[in-house]
């Protein structure tokens, strides 16, 4: 863990006037290989990942937001082409990146599990311990809560392309979910790669279910 636990983060349902379409990027070469991505800056999409992004393209006109990670920006580029929107006008924010994996970044899940023992709660689809030098869920909640607060005045509907873990915490924050016991943050249920959650006035509707795998949480 990169710092002491942050237990003061409280999830407050979103009251923003517009709607938020929160997307998980398409499958990457790391997802396919079973490797830890975390906040790695660029892990390219696979052919399946491009197809998932292509399938996500049917959506209304939106303001574009993205994690600065390459896989999120690649996914957004495909969607922007569908929507006839300018990808170059998209805004990025480092607070939308994936969970920081520290010393585990780039490791293969199977090799790491053989070394340190089980570290994924398969029922929740969450890590059960923070990696050395990495993040825990309360730190993610703190940073995405800051993004929500700072962008609350954004007009109209938005598209937000991000990641498996961080999007779950963002959705938990925006829908006012309770802190998940043992994980120190509000965490929404897992969605497959290429999925879209619509958040409006604190309520969530899954409007598109992607075809990606559940095996790799990030």
């Amino acid at each position: 863990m990169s710092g002491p636990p942050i237990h003061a983060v409280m999830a407050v349902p979103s009251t923003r006037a517009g709607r938020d379409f929160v997307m998980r990027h398409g499958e990457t070469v790391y997802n396919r290989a079973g490797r830890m991505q975390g906040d790695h800056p660029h892990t390219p999409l696979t052919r399946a990942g491009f197809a998932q992004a292509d399938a996500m393209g049917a959506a209304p006109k939106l303001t574009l937001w993205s994690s600065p990670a390459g896989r999120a920006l690649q996914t957004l580029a495909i969607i922007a082409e569908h929507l006839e929107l300018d990808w170059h006008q998209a805004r990025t924010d480092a607070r939308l990146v994936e969970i920081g994996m520290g010393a585990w970044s780039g490791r293969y899940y199977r090799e790491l599990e053989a070394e340190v023992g089980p570290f994924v709660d398969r029922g929740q689809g969450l890590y059960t311990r923070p990696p050395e030098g990495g993040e825990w869920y309360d730190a993610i909640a703190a940073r995405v809560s800051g993004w929500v607060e700072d962008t609350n005045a954004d007009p109209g509907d938005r598209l937000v392309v991000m990641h498996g873990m961080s999007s779950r915490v963002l959705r938990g924050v925006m829908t006012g979910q309770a802190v998940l016991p043992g994980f120190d943050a509000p965490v929404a249920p897992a969605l497959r790669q290429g999925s879209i959650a619509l958040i409006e006035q604190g309520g969530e509707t899954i409007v598109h279910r992607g075809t990606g795998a559940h095996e790799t949480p990030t």
Side-chain angles (χ1 to χ4, degrees), residues 7 23 92 143 151 180 194 212 215:
H7 297 295
M23 295 185 172
T92 62
R143 58 176 164 87
T151 63
L180 189 63
E215 283 73 19

Side-chain angles (χ1 to χ4, degrees), residues 15-56:
T15 58
R16 204 178 68 80
R19 298 176 298 171
D20 287 287
F21 292 86
V22 180
M23 295 185 172
R24 182 179 181 185
H25 64 73
E27 180 190 74
T28 71
V29 294
Y30 270 46
N31 293 139
R32 176 65 62 86
R35 292 181 69 182
M36 295 278 191
Q37 290 185 114
D39 54 353
H40 196 287
H42 184 50
T43 52
L45 299 183
T46 61
R47 286 198 302 169
F50 275 100
Q52 291 154 9
D54 203 47
M56 288 192 284

Side-chain angles (χ1 to χ4, degrees), residues 70-84:
R71 57 196 186 272
L73 290 168
Q74 274 190 299
T75 300
L76 180 59
I78 298 166
I79 298 165
E81 183 177 344
H82 269 284
L83 301 180
E84 299 183 348

